[in-house]
Amino acid sequence: MTEQTKDKKVHGVVAEYTDVDSLMAACRRIRDAGYKRTDAFTPFPVHGIDDALGIKPTVLPWIALGAGATGTMIALAMQIWMNGIDYQYIISGKPFISLPAFIPVAFELTILLASFGTFFGMWALNGLPRFSNPIFTNPRFDRATDDTFFLYIDAKDPQFDQAGVERLLGDAGGEQITAVVDDDTPTKIPRFLLTAIVSVIALSMIPALIVAKMRVTTSDKPRFHIFMDMDLSPAKDAQQTSTLFADLRAMRPDVPGTVARGAFDGNLDYLTGIDMEELSMTDAPRAQRLVAAYAQGDDASAQAGGDDASADSGDAAAQTDKTPWLKSNPLDVDMDVVQRGQTQFGIYCATCHGLDGRGNGLVNQRAQRILATAWVPPSNMHDPTLYQDQYPDGKLFSTITNGVRKMAGYASQIEPEDRWAIVAYVRALQKSQNASLDEVPAADRGTIEKEVADVKQQLKEAAEAERQRQEEAAAKAAAEEAEQATEEADADSADDQ
Amino acid sequence: MALAVPTGLDNTKERPGERAPLVLGDTTYHDITEMVSSIAEKPPGRAWVLGFIVAFALLNMLGLCILYLIYTGVGVWGNRAPIFWGWPIVNFVFWVGIGHAGTLISAILYLFRQEWRTSINRAAEAMTIFAVVCAGTFPGIHVGRAWLAYWLAPYPSLNLWMWPQFRSPLLWDVFAVSTYATVSLLFWYMGMVPDLATFRDRSKNKWRRMAYGILCLGWSGSSRHWMRYEKAYALLAAFAAPLVLSVHTIVSFDFAVSQVPGWHTTIFPPYFVAGAIFSGFAMVITLMVPARKIFSLEKIITLRHLDNMTRIILATGMIVGLAYGTEFFIAWYGQVPEEKFAFINRAFGPYAWAYWTMITCNVISPNLFWFKKVRTTPWMMWVVSIFVNIGMWFERFVITVTSLSRDYLPSAWAYFEPTWVDWAMLVGSFGLFFTLFLLFCKFMPVVNMAETKATLAHELHLSHSGHGGH
């Protein structure tokens, strides 16, 4: 190795060529002369020059393949883990690990990583970026990216001998043969640039550090909102204005044709079953409570008023019940009302009280059968204490509304009008079990008597038919018995033979 | 005629047995360097300044609209029940489609060894990047809470404790578009490195030299580097070619995987890809015809380049027309009442005006390219390319809006009405696109000098060694 130490280190020798063909010829010539550490610098890729210079193929495709395969594996593992195992979405009963649906992302990541592998692999193999290169010291070399072709032999080549190399390149048609010497321009990044870069990086980390600190510490101040999302509700208070509606009122009237739950039309007698006028004279505070509860309309207050009423209707309080209950049904009771009451009674009451009102509905039957200990048997409607004279219609209405003992109130299920209809039906039911012929209008008595006679006659005939049927059955059984005895006797005699 | 082709610059005649030259005039390597570098070195011309002022103003309008949107909410758009995919998605699909021609020119034509790509691929790739930037903006702000758009990424979240749903085409879209943007950027940047080195070496100013020196990563033009570089370029082209097909396929899945009548069809992937290439080439013509005039690049972006592109527009335009016809045929042949209705409604319903605009622009106007006069007259092809751009925007509008506005639930039917924000954002997205493109023209090599020189070298080699020289 020839080491020139005159003033600057020589890295190699470079020669210029003006067209591709002379460059290629020179390349072949120095290759054949046995030089290995050679290179050509051209403004565009010259095809065939790798062969002319003896450049070996690159491993880049294998890097790309490896990176691409990594991409596929990462994508599949990621999707299987995220959607198949760690967080399973139920979509139309499809399998959690549904590979066909994972293909697109796997494909994209394969391409992405293969491209990264190719791009960064190529720069790494080329040793770029490299900003300080001794070949750039030659000002003529600026034309290597324009229109001039350079051929270079490195000083590290075992055969390198500066004079010989210069002669060889000249013989191969090279012009402007010069030595490539050390670059004496400073290679360090200027101090101010370095300072600027470092401070920009340092400053850019401040927001991230603030966020990181806020994430791990607690604070008694409200959360810091950049975007409000729905953290603060724009709900309006009473009497405020709103531009959302044409009348600018934030408080909205009821939708036409609807009645809010618990709203009442002022007729509290009808809703409570109590003569409110009399109550306000005898027990003003209670009357006020009831008015307030119903006027407020909310369930809690109505319930409070209701409890008040139902407590009074309890057994213990019954003796001292001073409540001025309505004596009679405010509805105009006719056949329609009673039938409506019958329907509602069948739906809501009969399960416990029984269709006949004797307190032995299916629920009670089952409760008795399983010996339910907490069960309080339903009242028998035919108990004289529940008759109108002792248990006024208003009180019965209040009981249906608010409940009594174990029975829950039915205010929320049954409309007030239907509750009154049930009261009417219960009265009819009680009457049906406890009426005399005298209470029937004289004109209809004949009909009833005839019906009673008919029923008695039918019962008599049914009893007679039953008696006859039993007699016939007995006779038939006797005959069969006799016949069987004869057969057995025949069989016995046959055996004897 | 003022716009007539200067003599000696018409290389569109077919001579049997002979390749038409792609670099015209007695152009040398140095001429190519001069032609392209001077664009970036000279002070910008009046046309550039004027264009930049307009484009930058529109970009600012877009920025203000986005701020207004984020501050107020997505209600500022015309998106209303049942049309929740309004113009933002129309614009997204439109811009992604535009981008496709860039990748097609740089990757697929490269793989097919079409040398005429060399002088137009750089600008087309730049167009791809900027179109994808425009495209990416719209889904980003369409998610409603744009500041949470990063939730789309599968990252281990401390707030959500959940992962994205990988069986949704919308998530595939996130991966496809972001991969596409990344790979296109790598491809574009890698292609520019040797030309940036040229810019560095021509710089007189120290700072300019340093800036381009950093950008070109210390490129020296070494043959050993070129060899790996060309291998990497071929590999990236091979990856980008299936990628570009996959991206618009997945974009079409956003529609086709749903069950909306008019969307739920298997023809969507090829139909979208053909439409994307169609619109992308139209946009390349729209950009290159004025650029070649303003920057005097007629010798390297020749009439033959433009002619070839118009042929591709003609071919893809007919594919798109066939796809429209096939959709109608399948709607009839399938006998699904909702599907039949969707297509009849498209052509004759309340959006008939949009449908027939689309047909006129996309199916009828490209047929002008049957005439050689149109194929070789820049201003004529420019006009047709504008029609195609308009038509392709309307195609996305027709697909997105007509299907949503009248789906299975007639009581919910509605007519889409864009707001001023919709308009401003559409126009503003062109501002974003042209701002980026004009900056690119000013500071980056508009034409791939290295590859154009290689093409020239190839032609010189052929002319020296006679016909069929290699």
Side-chain angles (χ1 to χ4, degrees), chain A residues 398-412:
Chain A
S398 174
T399 303
I400 298 171
T401 306
N402 301 307
V404 63
R405 296 186 295 274
K406 287 281 175 184
M407 174 182 154
Y410 279 78
S412 60

Side-chain angles (χ1 to χ4, degrees), chain A residues 416-439:
Chain A
E417 190 179 348
D418 286 343
R419 272 179 254 150
W420 282 116
I422 290 171
V423 169
Y425 175 69
V426 168
R427 294 299 175 221
L429 197 62
Q430 286 169 339
K431 185 68 83 183
S432 74
Q433 302 295 311
N434 193 27
S436 63
L437 199 58
D438 301 340
E439 292 173 68

Side-chain angles (χ1 to χ4, degrees), chain A residues 104-105 108, chain B residues 169 172-173 176 245-255:
Chain A
V105 171
E108 299 299 334
Chain B
W172 305 345
D173 217 19
L245 300 184
S246 83
V247 172
H248 229 54
T249 298
I250 289 173
V251 169
S252 81
F253 283 164
D254 292 344
F255 297 87

Side-chain angles (χ1 to χ4, degrees), chain A residues 146, chain B residues 29-37 198 202 449 453:
Chain A
D146 180 4
Chain B
Y29 301 134
H30 184 67
D31 290 342
I32 293 173
T33 311
E34 279 296 326
M35 229 185 279
V36 179
S37 306
T198 308
R202 289 173 58 90
M449 291 183 275
K453 287 173 196 168

Side-chain angles (χ1 to χ4, degrees), chain B residues 153-278:
Chain B
Y155 76 105
S157 151
L158 291 173
N159 295 330
L160 297 172
W161 290 110
M162 64 195 288
W163 299 110
Q165 150 67 313
F166 280 101
R167 279 167 289 179
S168 159
L170 296 177
L171 190 69
W172 305 345
D173 217 19
V174 172
F175 277 82
V177 174
S178 53
T179 299
Y180 183 53
T182 311
V183 173
S184 301
L185 195 63
L186 296 182
F187 202 38
W188 178 59
Y189 176 63
M190 203 183 100
M192 273 198 303
V193 163
D195 291 347
L196 290 171
T198 308
F199 275 22
R200 171 200 62 192
D201 291 344
R202 289 173 58 90
S203 301
K204 307 279 186 289
N205 176 318
K206 182 186 165 195
W207 295 109
R208 191 179 165 91
R209 192 176 180 96
M210 192 183 276
Y212 282 117
I214 290 169
L215 278 177
C216 77
L217 307 173
W219 180 261
S220 63
S222 155
S223 288
R224 293 169 193 277
H225 292 181
W226 271 122
M227 191 264 302
R228 297 193 192 95
Y229 176 91
E230 286 226 284
K231 183 62 83 181
Y233 200 86
L235 284 171
L236 280 186
F239 299 145
L243 176 66
V244 68
L245 300 184
S246 83
V247 172
H248 229 54
T249 298
I250 289 173
V251 169
S252 81
F253 283 164
D254 292 344
F255 297 87
V257 173
S258 77
Q259 294 186 351
V260 176
W263 287 5
H264 186 60
T265 55
T266 50
I267 199 181
F268 262 34
Y271 159 35
F272 266 53
V273 171
I277 296 166
F278 180 58

Side-chain angles (χ1 to χ4, degrees), chain B residues 10-21:
Chain B
D10 185 1
N11 57 343
T12 57
K13 283 207 173 60
E14 298 295 343
R15 293 195 183 80
E18 205 177 305
R19 273 175 185 259

Side-chain angles (χ1 to χ4, degrees), chain A residues 39-121:
Chain A
D39 206 348
F41 297 90
T42 57
F44 54 86
V46 175
H47 289 204
I49 202 164
D50 36 348
D51 179 51
L53 276 174
I55 301 171
K56 293 196 192 72
T58 171
V59 296
L60 193 61
W62 294 103
I63 296 175
L65 178 68
T70 312
T72 319
M73 291 301 139
I74 288 175
L76 287 178
M78 173 178 80
Q79 294 179 88
I80 289 170
W81 161 250
M82 290 177 182
N83 276 184
I85 297 163
D86 191 45
Y87 197 93
Q88 297 175 327
Y89 291 88
I90 298 172
I91 307 286
S92 315
K94 297 202 175 72
F96 292 119
I97 300 175
S98 35
L99 284 175
F102 294 165
I103 289 174
V105 171
F107 175 83
E108 299 299 334
L109 279 192
T110 306
I111 296 280
L112 183 67
L113 265 72
S115 301
F116 278 144
T118 309
F119 183 81
F120 294 109

